[in-house]
Amino acid sequence: MKIGVFCSGGDAPGMNACARAVVRRAIGEGHQVVGILRGYQGLLDEDFFVNVNGEPLMLLRSVSGWSRFGGAFLRSSRSDEFRTEAGQAKATDILRKHEIDALIPIGGDGTFNGAVALAKHWDGQLVGCPGTIDNDLIGTDFTIGFSTAVQTAVGAVDKIRDTAESHERMFLVEVMGRHSGFIAVHTAIGAGAECVCIPETPTDIPAIVVSIRALKERGKTSIMMIVAEGDEEGGAEELNEQIKAAGNPFNTRVVVLGHLQRGGSPSPEDRILASSCGDFAVQAILEGKTGVMSGLIGGKSTLTPFEETYAKHKPIPEELLQLVEHLAS
Ligand code: F6P
């Protein structure tokens, strides 16, 4: 059979390792792989990976060494055209024209939403892989790219702590996660931050200032506050203004880590997760499955219907939230 693979939405470290696993397993089993460039938009534009022989097919050697690189060699995009019924119908015609039997989209909730929409038009198989730094998908303990993003954020906060201590300052460090506080909570624990603000829990400004004052009275000379970009009280800049107005005793600075968190060589955890999800996605297709995401739960490869991966908010374990408080007290 002919299997298409592509990356979509925000890129995530490990997407290349995932595409490599898809190529290696599918070709190893005697099938063909079409690399679709630039996600759903690339499909609409018939923009395919071309191998050394000039054919629109991936070869075993096309993905040599891909595991260790961040970014997405297949490129990625967020396509407005594909969100329309007309775009999905056009994509269906293109998939039929190129005789593609199955697709493996690597991406997050928007990508799987797109896969569900496509399935209403196209009768090929669709098995996704969880590629997003946000770790906001149900059906996998962790998403591809999350571990690397946290590693990058913790490294950055460690450096910021050095200057914070020298100047006896407080820093508000904003991390990514549009609707989810996973990166923020893991970064806070990993970097020993005193405070974390996330969309999943109410951000109580007066209470935060009371606890910062208590920490200062106990002799703390620097404070790290990790803010998820999606916190309901706003990002780090807005929170800084609010805590200042509520009597924050520290001199503050704000750092927004932004897209820095999406780059870099994937961590071993991300490479292993990505390889395993990609390999299992091919296996699922060969077993006739469709409409599901290939994830890893408790070390076991698992399939979860696309709709279930994004319908509910993935909860942050209560123990992690308590851990932040225990460690800061
Ligand atoms: O979904 C991944 C993510 O990195 C989010 O954490 C972030 O809010 C968003 O993508 C940023 O998207 P863009 O790169 O399109 O600005």
Side-chain angles (χ1 to χ4, degrees), residues 192-260:
E194 284 73 18
C195 180
V196 64
C197 298
I198 55 172
E200 288 84 354
T201 57
T203 296
D204 182 343
I205 302 290
I208 290 173
V209 172
V210 165
S211 83
I212 294 170
R213 283 185 169 278
L215 289 170
K216 190 169 168 78
E217 272 157 31
R218 279 201 356 241
K220 271 261 177 199
T221 51
S222 71
I223 301 281
M224 289 292 138
M225 176 162 154
I226 311 299
V227 181
E229 62 175 335
D231 185 74
E232 77 283 4
E233 291 295 331
E237 288 286 1
E238 291 89 337
L239 279 176
N240 186 29
E241 292 307 319
Q242 293 192 43
I243 58 170
K244 200 189 272 178
N248 177 28
F250 277 91
N251 185 340
T252 59
R253 292 289 185 274
V254 171
V255 175
V256 178
L257 294 184
H259 290 78
L260 183 82

